[in-house]
Amino acid sequence: MNGESENRKVVLTCAQPTGKLHLGNYLGAVKNWVEMSEKYECYFGVVDMHAITIPYVPADLKKNVYECTAQYMACGLDPEKCNLFLQSSIVGHAELAWILGCICPLGQLERMTQYKDKASKHKENLNSGLLYYPVLMASDILIYNADVVPVGEDQKQHIELTRDLAQKFNSRYSDTFKIPEPYIPQAGARIMSLQTPTSKMSKSDPNQNGTLYITDDPAVLRKKIMSAVTDSDSEVRYDIENKAGVSNLMSIMSALSGKSFDDIETEFKGKGYGDFKKAVADVVVDALAPVREKFLEISADKKRIESALAKGNQAAQRRVNRLMSKVYRKVGFMRFE
Ligand code: TRP
């Protein structure tokens, strides 16, 4: 390895292989990851081990891993520039999670907001995996000695736990892990549902017309945008309080075109919502049509997805092995080979 790559910051983030990505995921997360992979040493994990904490069908899990990886590649994550890995393929994540679990107070896991939410939804068959989920996540991060972890606001508490566990391990066994920093995009970049513009765009929105998927057909994208909820006047003006729908469409346009809100307001002065929506649809279709094309091309070529993951897995495993030999030594485990 040359000096430059030794000094490059290490970025790690992971996502569960669940369903389709929407415009909110793309603008709020994946687009940043693509930019980061130009500058930093990046590891992007598809975390299938996290996905089995809720009821699932094994064949669907496999299908989702392919689909999810293809979507990330279609968004611009280039296997030559970053390491796309599959969590269950890497030996070490589960091992380190066990070790971290042994220094993690039970009470801290029971206080995790996401656990409490999920536990109330899965009351009947509450498995320990749901409770243990953040420890596995801490392991995903610490095992790469990541400097920066781009995540959504909802994962902030999990990152705090990760930092706590790293500090605890370091003080108990001597300095081993870097204390990772979260990178949380500012709330302004949040994309809302087109139908209920006061709540986040989401794949679990009961009204699917409010969610723009990156793999939607252009005609579907246009239809969803043309029927987006607005308000009863006709002025294109940024005002989240009183004009949530229009403001959201302006955010989308601004994020994809680089135009400021002022520019957009000036451009559509005196024009109606119809014209404005048509322009938003054009911008969205221009941005997402190539992503969809690429997605269809990649999904038709399973081998291409497999070799991307194989390459990423290899780099990931190499990095993990280095750290895990240290961890084993420090905790007093031996390897007789
Ligand atoms: N819990 C994260 C989420 O649902 C996914 C995740 C698992 C993750 N391991 C991670 C994110 C490590 C960042 C780093 O979004």
Side-chain angles (χ1 to χ4, degrees):
M1 207 191 282
N2 62 33
E4 190 201 32
S5 53
E6 286 277 12
N7 295 330
R8 274 208 304 178
K9 270 199 191 313
V10 172
V11 173
L12 170 128
T13 193
C14 302
Q16 291 196 40
T18 42
K20 300 187 285 182
L21 296 179
H22 55 67
L23 189 67
N25 303 131
Y26 177 69
L27 290 174
V30 189
K31 216 167 150 247
N32 290 329
W33 305 351
V34 175
E35 281 162 24
M36 287 178 149
S37 62
E38 296 291 338
K39 281 198 243 146
Y40 305 116
E41 181 173 341
C42 292
Y43 295 86
F44 299 118
V46 177
V47 286
D48 50 350
M49 286 158 80
H50 278 100
I52 70 168
T53 50
I54 54 171
Y56 77 105
V57 177
D60 292 344
L61 180 62
K62 290 187 189 175
K63 207 177 105 242
N64 288 340
V65 166
Y66 279 104
E67 192 174 320
C68 179
T69 310
Q71 288 181 78
Y72 287 125
M73 291 168 72
C75 288
L77 286 183
D78 177 349
E80 296 301 321
K81 294 186 180 159
C82 64
N83 304 298
L84 291 168
F85 69 89
L86 180 60
Q87 183 190 33
S88 64
S89 298
I90 310 299
V91 180
H93 288 242
E95 284 80 354
L96 180 61
W98 177 255
I99 294 168
L100 295 172
C102 293
I103 57 170
C104 181
L106 180 57
Q108 206 170 353
L109 295 182
E110 287 168 336
R111 282 194 298 275
M112 293 282 129
T113 349
Q114 203 160 69
Y115 167 71
K116 290 194 278 184
D117 278 1
K118 286 188 194 169
S120 67
K121 277 189 207 137
H122 300 271
K123 262 199 195 96
E124 274 92 82
N125 62 353
L126 190 56
N127 67 63
S128 334
L130 279 176
L131 179 73
Y132 204 64
Y133 180 111
V135 181
L136 180 58
M137 175 163 166
S139 165
D140 297 336
I141 297 169
L142 299 180
I143 208 166
Y144 293 91
N145 245 340
D147 295 288
V148 182
V149 186
V151 282
E153 182 68 35
D154 62 330
Q155 297 298 312
K156 209 168 157 184
Q157 202 182 23
H158 291 162
I159 305 289
E160 268 151 31
L161 174 77
T162 304
R163 291 165 59 93
D164 285 353
L165 292 176
Q167 261 145 2
K168 234 185 192 153
F169 187 99
N170 288 351
S171 67
R172 180 162 310 184
Y173 297 105
S174 85
D175 209 21
T176 308
F177 297 119
K178 271 192 194 154
I179 312 300
E181 294 290 337
Y183 173 85
I184 299 170
Q186 83 255 48
R190 279 214 322 190
I191 303 301
M192 314 304 273
S193 160
L194 299 183
Q195 290 296 320
T196 329
T198 44
S199 50
K200 248 169 65 167
M201 186 175 282
S202 156
K203 63 170 177 270
S204 45
D205 195 331
N207 188 344
Q208 285 295 291
N209 284 328
T211 312
L212 299 170
Y213 290 104
I214 62 164
T215 53
D216 274 346
D217 185 274
V220 172
L221 293 171
R222 283 187 194 280
K223 200 162 153 231
K224 288 178 177 173
I225 293 166
M226 295 313 290
S227 52
V229 166
T230 48
D231 50 64
S232 52
D233 69 33
S234 63
E235 194 189 354
V236 177
R237 179 167 52 82
Y238 194 81
D239 176 353
I240 295 250
E241 296 273 295
N242 303 303
K243 297 167 79 72
V246 169
S247 303
N248 185 39
L249 291 173
M250 288 177 73
S251 295
I252 292 173
M253 184 176 235
S254 165
L256 289 172
S257 69
K259 287 180 189 164
S260 69
F261 293 148
D262 279 349
D263 291 345
I264 298 172
E265 283 172 11
T266 313
E267 187 178 341
F268 293 95
K269 203 164 215 115
K271 295 185 185 156
Y273 287 162
D275 283 347
F276 173 55
K277 285 178 168 177
K278 236 183 247 142
V280 174
D282 285 343
V283 172
V284 170
V285 168
D286 276 353
L288 294 187
V291 174
R292 173 183 154 87
E293 289 294 308
K294 212 164 158 205
F295 171 73
L296 295 175
E297 180 194 317
I298 297 169
S299 331
D301 186 357
K302 261 186 147 180
K303 286 252 153 44
R304 188 162 158 197
I305 303 170
E306 286 162 1
S307 73
L309 287 172
K311 182 180 169 290
N313 284 346
Q314 210 173 41
Q317 188 69 65
R318 230 181 294 129
R319 189 165 173 92
V320 160
N321 288 348
R322 255 188 282 148
L323 196 78
M324 279 310 275
S325 348
K326 250 198 208 174
V327 168
Y328 265 50
R329 193 159 29 81
K330 296 197 183 195
V331 302
F333 290 167
M334 291 180 278
R335 280 199 169 117
F336 298 110
E337 278 158 64

